[in-house]
Amino acid sequence: MTDTADAPATTEGAGRKGRPPLGRDFGKLWTAAAFSNLADGLGRTAVPLIGTTLTDDPLAIAALGAVAFLPWLLFGLPAGMIVDHFDRRIVMAIANALRGGVALWLSLLAVTSSMSLWALIAGTLAFGLGETLFDNATNAIVPAVVRREGLDRANGWLQAAQITIDNFIATPIAGVLFAVSLALPLWSTTGAYLVPIALALFLPLSAARPLRGAAAPAVPDPDAPDVTAGMMSEPVAVPPARTRVTTREALRYLWQHRYLRSMVVFTSLIGSALSLSQGVIILFFLDEQQVAYVAIGFVTAGIGIGALAGSLIAPRLVERFGRGPIMVGAIVIAGVGTVLTGLAPDAITAVSAFAVAAGAVSVWNVPWGALRQQIVPGEMFGRVLGVIRTLTWGLFPIATLVGGWIGRTDLRLPFFIGGGFIVVAALVAIPLLVGGTRRAGAEIDR
């Protein structure tokens, strides 16, 4: 294991008394996710940029963003079932092999001048299919390699790696490579996907399957089913769990858990509003703010500063104020930042405003991910997460297309509509986010 692989497991964890390291096994998981994020960032930047060379229709460009989320609607549940039934390390490796093959195919199309908008859409769908498998597996493995008290820190480190690599390394490189040659970022994406295939296979055996009978003592939702909630890395003496959990049982668990059910509805609405506002973001910066192609990656890097800061400060904010209050504040700030992006008179102001919104979303993601890992039993986590993302991310394609359609009238309008809705929804949901989180046993012990 290299020093890089151990960085999230040792540097941050050993720095403060009473906060033990996250461990070498988490370091392996973090490294695999980091390399996968490098490939994601290269491809995510290259595809819409290539799309703008084929069409200038905001709705068509928004369609590229929309189809990236479509696999969560079509394949979210099967992906969760696969993650719960098969070796999660193998699932991660296969997912990246699929995405690497698709990137290679798109590279060949670009080199032979055969690229089309339909090929980009098909490739984006395949990238999204691999993402449902890789992300589900990664999230499901975290509780198996990290103790319960380290979940917020672990999610913060994973998100920090994603933001840092996507925004500060991958996207600026992709923008520069695109300015040199249309195919170069796609070739780089192909190579980057190969590395995490091997890294995933070096994860420990505990990552292969959910830990049986390893439930953490969390206070259940009064209206939740009578199940043992949560996971920790060391097994405790509880009745043995069944070896199979059906998708129907996962659906029933989520439906009967009033708090999680309400949070899924809220997250769906907020995520859809964000998707609506971001459906035209590439054209917004290219056409409205007059940013050159070669600089798009650096614009994303600027936005990433806020996202990275949010992911790094989120665990400490949660420790001090609790998950509920921090989630409320994060969503309100995200909405305000989105509105200010639409009002921005120039590119620098727009990047700054959107960086604030991105940072707030990062802050939200850390406690939201940790509380799910704390509440949901490990043997059904993959499927429950698949259900959650099917119901939430499944709406994003529709919202993104609506944003592109609105952008035909004015590229600033989606930011006003989406941001305003987010602020109102956050204020209405304060009782759920604060009181509901506490009653469900999803608040941290302080």
Side-chain angles (χ1 to χ4, degrees):
M1 177 64 70
T2 65
D3 292 340
T4 301
D6 282 338
T10 60
T11 303
E12 188 269 350
R16 287 181 56 185
K17 184 177 179 180
R19 298 178 67 183
L22 295 175
R24 294 180 64 86
D25 290 339
F26 175 74
K28 297 174 184 178
L29 179 65
W30 182 89
T31 305
F35 276 96
S36 185
N37 288 327
L38 175 62
D40 288 343
L42 291 169
R44 190 176 295 115
T45 304
V47 167
L49 287 177
I50 294 171
T52 61
T53 67
L54 302 173
T55 179
D56 59 358
D57 184 355
L59 185 59
I61 299 301
L64 288 173
V67 296
F69 291 106
L70 192 59
W72 288 102
L73 177 62
L74 302 177
F75 196 67
L77 287 176
M81 178 187 69
I82 290 171
V83 166
D84 283 342
H85 277 297
F86 297 99
D87 189 324
R88 290 166 174 172
R89 301 167 301 177
I90 302 299
V91 171
M92 292 171 66
I94 292 176
N96 275 349
L98 169 66
R99 294 192 282 185
V102 171
L104 176 61
W105 171 62
L106 291 177
S107 301
L108 294 174
L109 290 180
V111 169
T112 58
S113 300
S114 303
M115 185 67 73
S116 67
L117 191 62
W118 289 111
L120 285 179
I121 290 175
T124 303
L125 280 171
F127 284 140
L129 179 64
E131 185 179 31
T132 62
L133 293 169
F134 187 88
D135 284 7
N136 260 336
T138 303
N139 278 273
I141 286 172
V142 171
V145 298
V146 175
R147 292 176 179 271
R148 174 178 170 178
E149 61 269 20
L151 289 177
D152 289 286
R153 283 190 291 144
N155 283 284
W157 272 108
L158 284 171
Q159 186 167 239
Q162 177 186 357
I163 294 167
T164 302
I165 295 171
D166 274 9
N167 295 285
F168 303 129
I169 299 176
T171 53
I173 291 175
V176 173
L177 292 177
F178 177 81
V180 175
S181 170
L182 186 144
L184 273 180
L186 294 173
W187 285 116
S188 302
T189 301
T190 304
Y193 273 128
L194 298 178
V195 178
I197 295 175
L199 289 171
L201 300 178
F202 281 97
L203 289 170
L205 184 61
S206 62
R209 298 283 193 278
L211 298 177
R212 301 299 179 186
V219 180
D221 187 320
D223 296 310
D226 186 18
V227 297
T228 304
M231 288 286 294
M232 61 187 297
S233 59
E234 295 181 357
V236 295
V238 295
R242 287 178 297 167
T243 58
R244 292 293 179 101
V245 178
T246 66
T247 301
R248 179 175 296 181
E249 288 174 311
L251 283 165
R252 185 167 61 247
Y253 170 84
L254 183 60
W255 176 254
Q256 292 178 344
H257 201 298
R258 184 175 62 180
Y259 169 72
L260 283 180
R261 184 180 71 235
S262 301
M263 286 291 289
V264 168
V265 173
F266 175 75
T267 305
S268 299
L269 295 174
I270 296 300
S272 296
L274 288 168
S275 296
L276 183 147
S277 65
Q278 296 176 48
V280 297
I281 192 166
I282 290 293
L283 287 178
F284 172 74
F285 280 107
L286 288 175
D287 296 346
E288 194 74 21
Q289 302 294 352
Q290 299 299 306
V291 175
Y293 277 109
V294 70
I296 282 293
F298 296 97
V299 166
T300 307
I303 294 171
I305 292 174
L308 175 62
S311 66
L312 293 177
I313 67 174
R316 286 178 170 80
L317 290 175
V318 169
E319 286 180 0
R320 180 165 184 176
F321 300 104
R323 287 175 179 155
I326 289 303
M327 288 192 291
V328 172
I331 294 301
V332 171
I333 293 173
V336 172
T338 301
V339 172
L340 293 177
T341 302
L343 292 171
D346 53 57
I348 294 177
T349 308
V351 169
S352 300
F354 206 72
V356 171
V361 172
S362 292
V363 171
W364 159 273
N365 284 338
V366 169
W368 172 227
L371 69 85
R372 290 188 314 233
Q373 291 162 347
Q374 178 176 321
I375 292 175
V376 180
E379 63 269 18
M380 66 170 64
F381 184 87
R383 238 166 299 185
V384 171
L385 183 61
V387 171
I388 290 174
R389 288 187 166 173
T390 296
L391 298 175
T392 54
W393 293 16
L395 295 176
F396 294 177
I398 299 173
T400 303
L401 288 174
V402 172
W405 176 72
I406 295 173
R408 283 178 162 179
T409 302
D410 188 335
L411 290 174
R412 296 178 183 267
L413 192 56
F415 295 98
F416 300 149
I417 296 174
F421 177 85
I422 290 168
V423 172
V424 173
L427 296 177
V428 171
I430 288 177
L432 167 68
L433 298 177
V434 178
T437 299
R438 184 176 60 253
R439 288 190 298 272
E443 190 56 89
I444 63 169
D445 297 326
R446 291 184 293 133

